[in-house]
Amino acid sequence: MCYDCNMKRYTVTTTSKYDILIASGLLRQTGSALREVFAPCRVCLITDSKVNGLYSQVVMSSLIESGFQPSKIVFPAGEHSKNLTTYANILEALAEECLTRSDVILALGGGVTIDLAGFVAGTYMRGIRYAVIPTSLQAALDTSIGGKAAVNLRSGKNLAGVFWQPSLVLCDPDLLSTLPAANRLDGIAEAVKCAAISDAGLLPRIARGDLEYMIERCISIKKSLVEADERANNLRQLLNFGHTVGHSIEKLSSYSVTHGQAVAKGMIAESRGAYRTGLTNTDISGELADLLESLGFDTRLSSFDAEEVYHLALMDKKIAGGKINMIIPEFLGKCTLHKLSLSELESLITAGLRD
Ligand code: GLY
């Protein structure tokens, strides 16, 4: 296969082993990349109504050229599609076209598509293989790696899902350099999170907009955490910094505050609350807020009610036995897990949302 000579390959070693390939122009070589991993078979492309018009033709042609028999399922774009109804509709469509366990799902899109397609892949016929092509920065840095796949329930975000690792991830940075600003910011929030939990040296590169470095460094941070703790029982939870408050904010706003915007607010609130309740000696919230504002984020927290945020945070998947693992900054670039009682969580949220 004739890839870009600058192609990077990261191998993720979990219960299964798979490659993340990063190369400019990789989208056009989807078929040949899949041929290296899968024997000729049927491939069902799952994508949303926005991405369909942008990229699916290139992908379908490339699959046909490489001898695959592709089909396509398109669902309406947006977080509101990430639910049990869309999930069930996709499963029924796969069954109607008699996709078998030797066939492959190909998720083409952002976080919503990859979450939905991964959950479908992990449950259709008790699990079939899937490959991923992220088309948003957030999906490239986060969702496409590590096999967490879920849909939202009425009670909260990502409450029904599976751990199901992909068999291949194809990241084409050309798709990510022309994203609309708001979409790009969702990815930047994940990059700032990676920097805050494990590498402050990444922050100046984010500020400079060094996309290539950002993608590779974040992928490598996420790969290490996923390999250390595939099922998110401990270390992988560091990737949830800002997400306890962030998910509540997303839900309270009926998802009009996007995931990245909500995580940005969540990181500020959680680090400020941790400092004010004595869980850390260092308050990184000011530095984080300044950086996030300079990158274009709305960092205001005042419109969110602490009691409502706390109530929704009770659905957090890091809660077990009446305690929650919270991600507490030691300093910018290092976070650790602390087990808090629910009343300590409530105090942290209340203190974190106060001006
Ligand atoms: N998005 C956080 C994780 O994959 O663990």
Side-chain angles (χ1 to χ4, degrees), residues 192-261:
V192 171
K193 175 201 75 183
C194 281
I197 62 171
S198 72
D199 179 11
L202 173 57
L203 291 171
R205 309 294 285 262
I206 298 172
R208 284 208 297 276
D210 187 344
L211 191 67
E212 196 182 317
Y213 184 85
M214 212 187 307
I215 293 172
E216 288 179 26
R217 187 68 191 112
C218 291
I219 286 178
S220 130
I221 290 170
K222 176 141 191 191
K223 167 180 141 59
S224 316
L225 290 170
V226 166
E227 287 178 338
D229 173 28
E230 182 175 349
R231 294 185 69 86
N233 292 317
N234 45 69
L235 267 191
R236 182 170 175 174
Q237 293 184 0
L238 291 174
L239 291 163
N240 286 330
F241 176 46
H243 283 59
T244 302
V245 169
H247 281 169
S248 298
I249 287 177
E250 267 186 279
K251 175 85 171 78
L252 279 174
S253 74
S254 301
Y255 300 101
S256 64
V257 177
T258 64
H259 181 67
Q261 293 277 0

Side-chain angles (χ1 to χ4, degrees), residues 25-87:
L26 196 49
L27 189 76
R28 288 190 303 277
Q29 301 188 54
T30 301
S32 45
L34 260 68
R35 273 300 290 272
E36 291 212 337
V37 177
F38 309 107
C41 61
R42 284 192 293 156
V43 176
C44 183
L45 181 69
I46 299 182
T47 193
D48 74 24
S49 50
K50 265 197 192 141
V51 172
N52 181 39
L54 295 172
Y55 304 122
S56 64
Q57 205 174 336
V58 176
V59 171
M60 295 292 271
S61 306
S62 170
L63 288 169
I64 292 166
E65 272 167 32
S66 294
F68 291 101
Q69 299 156 267
S71 58
K72 184 170 74 174
I73 295 174
V74 182
F75 66 87
E79 182 76 25
H80 288 285
S81 281
K82 204 174 119 172
N83 57 35
L84 289 171
T85 306
T86 317
Y87 163 71

Side-chain angles (χ1 to χ4, degrees), residues 3 7-9 19-23 26 33 168-171:
Y3 286 135
M7 188 182 82
K8 304 274 175 23
R9 183 186 297 263
D19 284 339
I20 302 165
L21 306 182
I22 310 172
L26 196 49
L168 181 67
V169 179
L170 302 177
C171 178

